[in-house]
Each structure stands twice: as C-alpha cells, then as structure tokens.
Amino acid sequence: MFATLKFAALLLAVVVCWATQDYDYNDAEIDEEPTLGDSPYGSLWPLPQKVQISTVVFKLSGASFHIFDAKASSSGASCRLLQNAYRRYDEYIFTSSRKQGQNKSKKALASDMSELQVWITSADSECDSYPSVTSDESYKLSVDSPVAVLKAPKVWGALRGRGHSFYSTHCLYSDEEKSINRTDIHDFPRFAHRGLLLDTSRHFLPIKVILANLEAMAWNKFNVFHWHIVDDPSFPYLSRTFPQLSQHGAYHPYTHVYTPSDVKMIIEFARLRGIRVVPEFDTPGHTQSWGKGQKDLLTPCYSGASPSGSFGPVNPMLNTTYDFMSMFFKEVNTVFPDAYVHLGGDEVDFSCWKSNPDIQKFMEQQGFGTDYSKLESFYIQRLLDIVTTTNKGYMIWQEVFDNGVKLKADSLIHMWKGYQTLLSTPWYLNRISYGQDWQAIYKKKLVIGGEACLWGEYVDATNLTPRLWPRASAVGERLWSDRDVRDLNDAYSRLAKHRCRMVQRGIPAEPLFTGYCAHEYKGV
C-alpha cells in the first residue's frame, strides 16, 4: 500500500479531505497502433459530460451565420470578454469566407444554422472578473435549426461551450460552407484545477510562444497557467521594486525579460480565455539567479574555514532576507491578481548550509541540532507568514509538508495523504519517449485535479509547442471529462481530428501516428 501511495506522491493538494480516494493506476499494455475508425462523437475534445448527437445535419454558412447575446442574457455588447470571443471563434471557423467577403448577399435556407444565441443566466455574469478556483464553467448547448442556444450561469461556461464544444461539432466540407449535427450537450468539468506548467527560466520563452500556448490551452479546456517564471538559470521577471534582479539575473537584461506590461498583457490574454495565471517564485533553493542581483540574499558556501566563492540557498538567518521577501511578495500580490502564488520549496541542497560556520551557530542557537530540514522549515514558515499578510493563498511542493511546516487549510501542496490532491507527477511532458506516449498520459487516473508539467531543460521556442501538443490534450481530457471516458480507440479518432484542428489554427501539434491533415501546417 505504501509503495502504491508513494507513486502518487507528487500531488498538489487543495483542502483537507476526509474521503478515501481511488489510487488505482492502470499499467495495462498499450497498443502501438490503435484501431482506426470514426468516433460517434466526431472531433469533440475533451469529451463533454453528457452529449447526444443526431444524424440530422444543418448547413453552417459564413455568409449567414452570426452569434448574438440572448435578450434575457445578463451580459451583452458591453461584455468585452464575450465580444472578443465571438470575433475570435468566428474567425476560426470561417477564416476564408470572412476575409474575402464571399457570398454576403446569400440568404439563409431553411436547413441552415443561422445563429448561435448565448444566454448568461446568472445576474452577475462575472464578465469583468478574473477566473478563480471556484468559477462555474458549466454550460448547456442545444444545436437545432435555425437557432442554436448556449446557456451558462457565468461567462466561463460560455467560453467552454461556445468556442470548444460548438465549434468542435461541425464537419468541414469547404472553407465557405460547413455542416453541424443536431446536438445536445450538458457539460461541466470533472476537476476545478486543470493546469499546465511552463518553465521560462531554463530557456526564455518569447511572449508570442506563451500566448500561442494559452490559446491552445483554451482549446483543450485548461484553466490554470502555472508560470514557473524564475529558477537557478535565469531571472526574467522584471521587478519594479527590485529591478536589479533581472538586470543581473536574466540571460539578457533587455531582450530576455518580461516587463510589467508584458506580464499584464499575458494575464489579460489568459483572462479572456478563462485561464488563471499562477506564478511560481521558488525559494529557498533554485535561487542562484536571485543572488546575482540581490546582495547577501544567498548563503556563502565554505571550503574548510574559508569561503569557497560559491553560494547556496537563501540565507535563512538574516532579517534582511525576510525584509526583502516581504517587499518582493507585496509586489507580486499587486502584479498577479490570482488568489494563489506558488512558493516552491523543493529540492533544497543542505550542503552549503552545513559548510557555513555562521549557519552552524544559528542552528545551535535555535536548538535545531544537525537537522537542516528544521532550518528549511524555519525559513518556509516565516515566508508563509509573510505571504499570508498579502491575503494570498499559496502552493508549495511536497517537501514543505514533509518537514512539518504549519500550513493553512486551503494550501496547495504536493501530497499523498490526508489532503485532496491535484496530480502532476505522471504528466512531466519534458520526458521524451518514442511512439504513442499520449496513450500512457491518457490512461492515468486522478484524484482531484492536476497539471501537465513541461520543464525547460531541453525546450525553447523552437520545439516547445510540438513537444507539448497534443500530449497535453490527453491530460486536458482526463481532467475535464467523466472518469469512465477511457476508450483509447475512440480517443484516438477524436484526438487525431482535434490535433488537425489545432494545426489548422496555427499550432504545430505533433502527429499521433501516420496520416495527414486536410489543412497541413503552413509554418511560421
């Protein structure tokens, strides 16, 4: 039992959980080549919770089809989020005919689908809000002629239903004319936290790459961008309070940084797609880049009785350390509107602390003996107290809990016992394998939610997107769809079509196997 739970160790936790969870990981053999065939669900991805698709087909013409706010909807023309989405999705589905202005005088026929009405049913549509862990993403979609109706309590559900379910049900006949089946969908996410981690420290990712992957996240119903923004190799976050951090810690102080306006744009771009942005500032380890711009922040390492010239983790014995952290995370609180910030806390190497005579004396004064995990806990506890004053929740990796740090009930932690959990360990997408590895990702079972993680040692702007998609799409469906959705052959059929849809929209997603797309990738 312990070994089984240990496999599930690197998990993100939300709140204390009293229920027993299912940790049955299926390691059944995976076919190299799935059985090919059309899915009855077409190209729907992720698969909705409840869906009925009729054989009755309606024409969908760019000349006559329009999206409107329902008269009873609590949102309307003033809702920038929805209006932006209407334009975006209209361009996706009718790219050629809209650009060329074809057939503008053509009248809708009785068999045509002429409009989609969007109806936000709650008094507060949350149009001007940021998405949160409690956002309602449910929706109902009824596709009939001549009007399709999309009902959702909040704008977040409308985003999920309109852009990624309505536009996944059509069958392409030509650039100007498409068809759509009579369809009824009642949908909601299985898990509230469906995240994707991107690492911008090991390799700097240009803004356009981040934005393209946020777009792809929305198409796959992810709702959390876990931005591992800084680490040992570089500090690309340009801090207003401490500009010297990126000035000295980034790969280049001007070309390889994210300015305040860059960060603001990324957060708004994500918000318009119903995606939260959770930054990670990992300490006390993984901080070599921090020390290049902040004097005395890191611990001097010793070789015998003399300093070696190298530095270790954050120095936990100095009051100046906590003064710095207090100011820094006050800024983070104002820049990033999400209710959570990720504080890291993993992989702290104690060897430098052990070598430093001042740290040794501090350990003795605190009564820590030679247990350096207690020193780590001392630092983390003070950091958590600082962040708590900013009214932010926090996420940390498992080691923090293992070392006995006192945590708030709403902490998000890597955990295997006693908390509800969000899975990420099996979904480290930087691991490279040959063949149909999306299947192994697809078959993992979850606990309460999760994240796909793409660390940056071997990926940059040249290969990140194809490395990520459609492998992350498999994670997206595991996190959104019902737990009983597990037919690999059906998934293959839908995912192959979904992958081609991403390619058509400009995302260079890798092929699942041999085959082709009607609209091949045109390059950058």
Side-chain angles (χ1 to χ4, degrees), residues 173-205:
Y173 286 132
S174 70
D175 284 337
E176 294 79 38
E177 192 170 88
K178 298 157 174 50
S179 70
I180 188 167
N181 293 75
R182 177 182 288 160
T183 306
D184 284 295
I185 293 175
H186 179 200
D187 202 11
F188 51 88
R190 182 183 176 196
F191 299 116
H193 186 116
R194 305 180 306 282
L196 176 65
L197 179 151
L198 295 181
D199 172 6
T200 59
S201 173
R202 290 170 175 85
H203 284 98
F204 180 82
L205 297 179

Side-chain angles (χ1 to χ4, degrees), residues 409-477:
D410 63 348
S411 303
L412 283 90
I413 57 178
H414 276 99
M415 210 53 220
W416 62 272
K417 183 179 180 182
Y419 283 74
Q420 293 180 336
T421 50
L422 293 167
L423 179 65
S424 57
T425 287
W427 296 333
Y428 272 31
L429 300 184
N430 47 291
R431 295 173 181 165
I432 303 171
S433 62
Y434 183 79
Q436 303 254 358
D437 59 349
W438 72 271
Q439 298 183 11
I441 296 167
Y442 186 82
K443 293 177 75 170
K444 294 296 178 185
K445 295 182 181 178
L446 306 181
V447 185
I448 193 177
E451 292 185 352
C453 302
L454 186 58
W455 297 100
E457 287 89 346
Y458 303 105
V459 292
D460 62 8
T462 65
N463 66 342
L464 179 140
T465 304
R467 178 74 56 81
L468 189 56
W469 308 102
R471 299 164 81 207
S473 301
V475 180
E477 177 151 299

Side-chain angles (χ1 to χ4, degrees), residues 198-269:
L198 295 181
D199 172 6
T200 59
S201 173
R202 290 170 175 85
H203 284 98
F204 180 82
L205 297 179
I207 292 173
K208 69 176 183 178
V209 173
I210 294 176
L211 299 184
N213 281 280
L214 285 169
E215 195 75 74
M217 285 175 65
W219 296 338
N220 290 273
K221 289 186 168 69
F222 283 95
N223 67 348
V224 180
F225 171 33
H226 177 166
W227 192 355
H228 190 86
I229 191 167
V230 301
D231 207 299
D232 279 330
S234 74
F235 196 103
Y237 172 72
L238 201 166
S239 166
R240 291 185 185 273
T241 311
F242 300 101
Q244 71 274 15
L245 291 172
S246 60
Q247 187 71 24
H248 298 285
Y251 286 130
H252 190 283
Y254 304 115
T255 61
H256 285 58
V257 295
Y258 303 106
T259 67
S261 60
D262 293 336
V263 173
K264 184 177 181 180
M265 179 182 67
I266 289 169
I267 291 171
E268 179 62 9
F269 189 92

Side-chain angles (χ1 to χ4, degrees), residues 281-419:
F281 293 95
D282 191 356
T283 67
H286 294 277
T287 48
Q288 290 300 299
S289 65
W290 300 54
K292 295 176 181 178
Q294 187 64 21
K295 184 180 179 182
D296 297 328
L297 180 64
L298 304 185
T299 304
C301 304
Y302 276 68
S303 177
S306 303
S308 66
S310 61
F311 295 87
V314 166
N315 193 329
M317 61 173 284
L318 300 180
N319 288 331
T320 54
T321 292
Y322 303 103
D323 294 338
F324 165 80
M325 292 297 175
S326 179
M327 294 177 65
F328 180 77
F329 280 102
K330 282 180 180 177
E331 175 187 318
V332 168
N333 183 51
T334 62
V335 172
F336 293 91
D338 196 80
Y340 283 88
V341 60
H342 201 304
L343 301 176
D346 66 317
E347 299 178 327
V348 181
D349 185 351
F350 296 153
S351 58
C352 183
W353 282 349
K354 291 178 179 179
S355 75
N356 186 297
D358 294 327
I359 295 291
Q360 293 171 11
K361 291 178 183 177
F362 184 78
M363 291 278 291
E364 184 178 349
Q365 293 170 359
Q366 296 295 323
F368 295 159
T370 58
D371 186 354
Y372 284 83
S373 66
K374 291 183 178 178
L375 180 61
E376 180 186 4
S377 296
F378 172 86
Y379 166 80
I380 291 290
Q381 191 67 69
R382 291 196 62 175
L383 178 63
L384 297 187
D385 291 343
I386 288 170
V387 173
T388 298
T389 64
T390 68
N391 295 319
K392 275 239 195 278
Y394 46 74
M395 301 167 63
I396 54 260
W397 299 105
Q398 182 185 358
E399 290 91 327
V400 175
F401 181 87
D402 288 345
N403 292 337
V405 174
K406 184 179 179 182
L407 303 173
K408 296 191 301 181
D410 63 348
S411 303
L412 283 90
I413 57 178
H414 276 99
M415 210 53 220
W416 62 272
K417 183 179 180 182
Y419 283 74

Side-chain angles (χ1 to χ4, degrees), residues 1-55:
M1 179 65 172
F2 178 77
T4 303
L5 293 176
K6 211 44 182 169
F7 176 75
L10 288 185
L11 308 171
L12 262 62
V14 182
V15 293
V16 176
C17 174
W18 304 109
T20 302
Q21 303 293 347
D22 181 5
Y23 294 94
D24 176 24
Y25 291 91
N26 187 346
D27 293 323
E29 292 185 4
I30 298 172
D31 296 331
E32 277 297 312
E33 184 175 5
T35 303
L36 299 179
D38 288 332
S39 166
Y41 303 111
S43 61
L44 281 170
W45 194 278
L47 192 67
Q49 298 288 337
K50 298 178 182 179
V51 56
Q52 291 183 328
I53 300 179
S54 167
T55 57

